[in-house]
Amino acid sequence: MKIRRWIGLGSALALVLVSLAGCGVADFAKDEISKKMESVVVGTAKDVESISTDRYAYQQLSDEEKKVYDQQLDCILNHQEKVPVSTKDANVIQKAYDCIMADYGGLFWVSGYQYNTYSNMDRVVGIEFAPQYLYDEAQTKEYQAQVDAVVEQWLAGIGPEDSDYAKSKYVFETLIQNVEYVKESENNQNILSVFIGKQTVCQGYAGATQYLLQQLGIQSTIIHGQANGEAHAWNLVSLDGEYYLTDTTWGNSRYLMQDNSVQKQIDYQYLNTTSEFLNQTHVAQMNIPLPECTATADAYH
């Protein structure tokens, strides 16, 4: 969600500079005054220490995009209303936000953003990033506590000493066994549908896969695109130094039995698979490059 709000600073700046012109103020001094007035109105973007250097989407960004990513993520994690960011390009804001949502599947309390663009005459002088929150800070903390309790219970059967493959298989199986695919499920675009509602769609499965793997020390990124011509989400996963693709949604298979009952079965061909296999049905639509996944050592078969 993006809304532009143009606020002209030109009139105020022009009045000051005109009054100074008769006093013989040099052009460079006028420029300094202009910059100071702009910083007062727009605010100064602050550098934020990154906590995302090991995240895949973050690693694909330019230095400017990383800085904006860090500022936006810090704003979201601290539930701030808005922050100035270190860019004057709305496309950078969009790319950074998309990468945050790919790297962090657990941000259930944010559903989009607005940005406020400030201009001096026809020149953009600053942009503020304003997340759109689903819940206030107190509600977010309450839901997070509920999510944490379920996560602790679900991950009780796996530990840091287990292999990367064992962790990925455990998360895959746990989500499929405990969560049903239901199109009309509440909060199905975030992980509350998974850990609280136990019903979700592909976005919820992909977000929860990323979130659980992260708790186990495994890096994963949410991929958006199409599968068989429909909007879909799945995961890029790093195991033992190699990249794999996992689609938890498609791993949740159902079969119609002879007695007309429906039986759930886990389809392991969608656990830690290759680009060659998944690209037969899936088409990624990301604004960052994705690796070619060719490894098979941690595949199920």
Side-chain angles (χ1 to χ4, degrees), residues 62-134:
S62 68
D63 289 343
E64 179 191 25
E65 292 163 346
K66 287 178 179 178
K67 184 175 290 189
V68 173
Y69 176 118
D70 292 331
Q71 291 163 341
Q72 292 180 180
L73 178 60
D74 184 70
C75 178
I76 292 169
L77 293 178
N78 289 291
H79 222 284
Q80 294 175 294
E81 180 182 354
K82 58 185 179 181
V83 294
V85 290
S86 299
T87 186
K88 298 179 178 64
D89 186 345
N91 292 324
V92 172
I93 291 182
Q94 179 70 58
K95 186 174 182 179
Y97 179 81
D98 289 345
C99 287
I100 289 171
M101 301 311 290
D103 281 338
Y104 289 87
L107 301 178
F108 62 83
W109 61 93
V110 63
S111 63
Y113 69 91
Q114 296 178 342
Y115 66 91
N116 304 324
T117 303
Y118 296 90
S119 64
N120 173 16
M121 300 301 184
D122 59 350
R123 180 170 63 91
V124 175
V125 298
I127 299 182
E128 286 180 334
F129 169 77
Q132 301 299 289
Y133 295 119
L134 292 171

Side-chain angles (χ1 to χ4, degrees), residues 10-25 30 33 121:
S11 299
L13 291 173
L15 287 174
V16 173
L17 296 179
V18 167
S19 64
L20 289 172
C23 301
V25 178
K30 297 176 187 176
I33 293 171
M121 300 301 184

